[in-house]
Amino acid sequence: MNNGRKIDLALEAREWAQSAQSGALRGVRSEETTAFGYPLTRVEIVDEQGEALLGRPRGNYLTLDLPQLPQQREELLRSARAVASMLEDLPSLPREGTVLVAGLGNRRVTPDAVGPKTMDSLLVTRHLIQTLPEQFSSLRAVTALAAGVTGTTGMESGELIGAVVEQIKPSCLIAVDALAARRQERVCRTIQISDTGIVPGSGVGNARMALNQESLGIPVIAVGIPTVVDAATLCMDLLEAAGENDFDPAVFRQEGAEWFVTPRNIDSEVDLLSRVLGLGISTALHEDFSAEEVEAWVW
């Protein structure tokens, strides 16, 4: 269906499916709104037809577009409020119980560091509630785990997360990871949140253990930001835009030719967007706190 292209964002999968066939997409619903002034698109896959068309499990996929990165404090807070509102809009986010937030990826590889860096800006509270219940019992119990990657830990991130889930028995897992975009303009300008779980590494062709309701026994919400674009997909799209359609997609998928492109200022963009995610997730989980109050606790 994707003609050799790697598509990690549900919004882009819907756009591709619409370009490949005329009329409404059966099994797929979509709605365009705004969240705190930012464009927001909801894609809902409702049945097997939708799953086949978009190549991903049924559920809700929310995509926030950031026309430009927030530079001033108020813009950062506004984008964090938008992230919080997206999470709060998901029916699968429990209103009570401990929440485990897991940062997936490799802190040493900048485009893959969104997950671990988001944990640095998260308001974690479970230890406070356990040690000083009189002072902190009104807070929600939140824990954070930077799971690392198999190459540095010797374990699958899914194995680590599964063990922690078994031990602390959270009501929900929020998994934060870097994604791959189809279009370069969406790199570091898009935030996707879904309630269908996640397969770490799938965007760059290195799929690991799935993290979802079936594997862990609890709701799994995935939060991701595309930090790279698949070079082969980018080349095919540029050729088509130039009117060159007579090419074999397999040429771009030769063994050993896996390339991904990332912005030259990816380090500062990942730092900034990780703060947005950490602040937004914390604001959603601690309902009695505003984004400003969470910011005061974390930074």
Side-chain angles (χ1 to χ4, degrees):
M1 187 270 291
N2 295 333
N3 200 24
R5 291 165 170 80
K6 289 185 177 179
I7 299 179
D8 216 13
L9 296 172
L11 175 61
E12 292 184 330
R14 187 207 66 179
E15 291 173 345
W16 174 258
Q18 285 181 327
S19 67
Q21 68 177 62
S22 58
L25 300 179
R26 293 185 177 181
V28 179
R29 300 176 186 149
S30 62
E31 178 186 15
E32 296 183 359
T33 58
T34 60
F36 290 88
Y38 296 108
L40 174 65
T41 304
R42 174 193 288 272
V43 175
E44 182 183 3
I45 301 175
V46 299
D47 57 26
E48 293 180 356
Q49 283 186 306
E51 290 180 327
L53 275 174
L54 300 195
R56 59 207 69 229
R58 72 188 69 184
N60 298 289
Y61 300 82
L62 307 179
T63 304
L64 187 77
D65 289 326
L66 302 175
Q68 60 184 17
L69 289 181
Q71 300 298 329
Q72 303 300 321
R73 174 176 176 269
E74 184 49 45
E75 281 298 304
L76 187 145
L77 291 173
R78 183 164 71 96
S79 58
R81 294 187 195 103
V83 171
S85 70
M86 294 164 69
L87 284 167
E88 293 164 354
D89 195 38
L90 289 177
S92 56
L93 178 65
R95 302 306 170 189
E96 297 179 350
T98 299
V99 174
L100 170 62
V101 186
L104 308 176
N106 191 341
R107 188 184 290 270
R108 300 176 184 177
V109 180
T110 304
D112 197 32
V114 170
K117 284 181 174 290
T118 296
M119 302 304 98
D120 298 338
S121 298
L122 194 73
L123 177 55
V124 294
T125 55
R126 181 172 177 265
H127 62 302
L128 299 175
I129 297 169
Q130 290 181 332
T131 55
L132 297 169
E134 297 83 3
Q135 288 83 0
F136 297 104
S137 60
S138 61
L139 296 177
R140 182 165 194 174
V142 176
T143 61
L145 171 66
V149 293
T150 305
T152 59
T153 66
M155 294 175 284
E156 291 277 358
S157 58
E159 293 176 322
L160 285 171
I161 293 170
V164 173
V165 167
E166 180 66 25
Q167 178 66 33
I168 69 174
K169 294 178 171 54
S171 62
C172 176
L173 168 68
I174 298 177
V176 184
D177 199 8
L179 304 175
R182 175 187 174 192
R183 299 193 179 280
Q184 58 184 339
E185 60 266 22
R186 289 203 169 102
V187 173
C188 292
R189 295 296 184 275
T190 302
I191 299 172
Q192 176 177 272
I193 298 180
S194 69
D195 58 6
T196 60
I198 190 171
V199 180
S202 59
V204 294
N206 186 32
R208 317 304 296 182
M209 289 176 58
L211 302 173
N212 51 35
Q213 176 94 40
E214 290 71 25
S215 63
L216 296 175
I218 57 174
V220 178
I221 295 172
V223 179
I225 292 177
T227 56
V228 298
V229 59
D230 175 40
T233 296
L234 179 61
C235 288
M236 285 186 277
D237 285 344
L238 291 175
L239 283 172
E240 286 191 353
E244 298 290 339
N245 298 305
D246 187 20
F247 59 86
D248 181 3
V251 172
F252 298 93
R253 296 296 179 197
Q254 298 178 18
E255 186 176 354
E258 295 289 336
W259 291 80
F260 291 88
V261 181
T262 195
R264 62 180 181 181
N265 55 341
I266 186 64
D267 50 350
S268 61
E269 297 196 354
V270 164
D271 285 343
L272 180 58
L273 290 170
S274 298
R275 293 178 67 188
V276 169
L277 291 186
L279 182 55
I281 293 170
S282 299
T283 302
L285 296 180
H286 301 288
E287 296 180 350
D288 294 335
F289 284 13
S290 66
E292 290 86 351
E293 291 169 327
V294 171
E295 178 193 35
W297 276 71
V298 174
W299 302 323

